[in-house]
Amino acid sequence: MTTLLETRALEAFYGDFQALFGVDVTVGEGETVALIGANGAGKSTFLRAITGLLPAKGQKVSFDGQEIAGLPADRIHKAGLAMVPEGRRLFPSLTVEENLLIGASGGRKGPWSLAKVYDLFPDLVAKKNNPGTALSGGQQQMVAIGRALMSNPRLLLCDEISLGLAPKVIKDIYEAVPRIREGGTSILVVEQDVGQAMAVASRVYCFMEGRVTLSGPPGELTRAEIAAAYFGTK
Ligand code: ATP
């Protein structure tokens, strides 16, 4: 499998505060990988560091064979990394369709279009002229995912896309994941719901206090190992 994203000994800081310590993560072409861990474990910081929103330090931060540490966020986006941010962050004064179209600016050419996004999330068709904020939480999440897909990313980063949503809505949203991957986009999800992460990912990384404490395919990890890596219990 071709490696798409690789970090080696990644560190990240907020001022003097070190939030990541020696983090090694890889995502291969066509993979769905999940990052799990408790509040404050460093998962969002990892996403910020690889997208250029926070300075990344380390031996290696490469994407598609190119070193991306130190590149501005817009260059990293153009290289094919797009983020679905925690909390969705739609533009409140714009319609659903306008929010989606904004996602295409500064992105790459590729298979994703408005029609493809509406095909993925048919619920959005009837809402396309409504302001994004007039939608349910689940529909807003669909717009946030669609907006990121409109830039035709090679790797889609999803930060806690199930947060605050009802189980049925979470199921609908996660059903889109294999379809996104089949379209040629790899996926890295940050997920606090361990069961959900295990169900969707081919490999998971568990973070605790800024370090990777466990990684592997879900089928090879025991509940006891995951609990120890997640909570630090013995
Ligand atoms: P959550 O589920 O709460 O988002 P997380 O695993 O994504 O958790 P991070 O948000 O990456 O965790 O936080 C990692 C550490 O960095 C925590 O100790 C947190 O307090 C700290 N941190 C996060 N954002 C900032 C910031 N803007 N300034 C200073 N410290 C921060």
Side-chain angles (χ1 to χ4, degrees):
M1 182 173 27
T2 315
T3 299
L4 196 54
L5 174 76
E6 181 177 3
T7 71
R8 214 180 298 143
L10 177 65
E11 298 183 337
F13 298 80
Y14 295 100
D16 290 340
F17 176 77
Q18 186 165 1
L20 294 181
F21 301 82
V23 170
D24 296 351
V25 166
T26 60
V27 181
E29 188 107 55
E31 257 198 312
T32 301
V33 171
L35 309 184
I36 60 174
N39 276 338
K43 308 175 301 294
S44 301
T45 300
F46 178 82
L47 297 187
R48 285 183 209 125
I50 60 172
T51 50
L53 299 176
L54 197 63
K57 296 186 179 143
Q59 288 168 15
K60 188 172 188 179
V61 188
S62 76
F63 182 68
D64 198 17
Q66 181 191 3
E67 182 62 32
I68 55 169
L71 289 185
D74 61 329
R75 289 268 308 279
I76 296 175
H77 181 235
K78 185 93 191 160
L81 267 168
M83 170 114 91
V84 182
E86 190 175 346
R88 299 145 205 158
R89 308 224 189 105
L90 302 187
F91 296 101
S93 60
L94 301 184
T95 65
V96 164
E97 189 142 311
E98 288 165 342
N99 267 283
L100 292 173
L101 287 170
I102 276 195
S105 67
R108 296 151 27 89
K109 300 238 175 300
W112 287 98
S113 61
L114 276 177
K116 283 262 169 62
V117 171
Y118 289 140
D119 186 42
L120 186 67
F121 297 122
D123 281 8
L124 298 183
V125 177
K127 307 277 181 185
K128 65 181 176 188
N129 295 318
N130 294 20
T133 46
L135 273 53
S136 69
Q139 289 165 340
Q140 289 188 25
Q141 192 58 269
M142 292 171 191
V143 177
I145 295 169
R147 183 178 56 185
L149 289 173
M150 288 291 287
S151 71
N152 283 293
R154 299 197 58 198
L155 178 60
L156 182 71
L157 309 170
C158 299
D159 198 354
E160 311 235 3
I161 49 175
S162 60
L163 206 65
L165 301 179
K168 158 85 176 78
V169 181
I170 296 172
K171 183 172 163 286
D172 288 349
I173 287 184
Y174 267 99
E175 272 173 10
V177 166
R179 292 185 60 198
I180 294 170
R181 216 193 41 229
E182 281 157 21
T185 306
S186 308
I187 302 174
L188 179 61
V189 296
V190 163
E191 187 49 75
Q192 279 202 34
D193 179 336
V194 176
Q196 186 65 65
M198 300 301 221
V200 77
S202 55
R203 284 185 309 113
V204 298
Y205 289 87
C206 186
F207 279 56
M208 188 173 59
E209 296 175 355
R211 292 180 166 84
V212 173
T213 45
L214 184 70
S215 64
E220 293 178 13
L221 308 176
T222 67
R223 291 174 79 94
E225 280 174 329
I226 294 165
Y230 197 103
F231 299 111
T233 50
K234 291 270 183 290

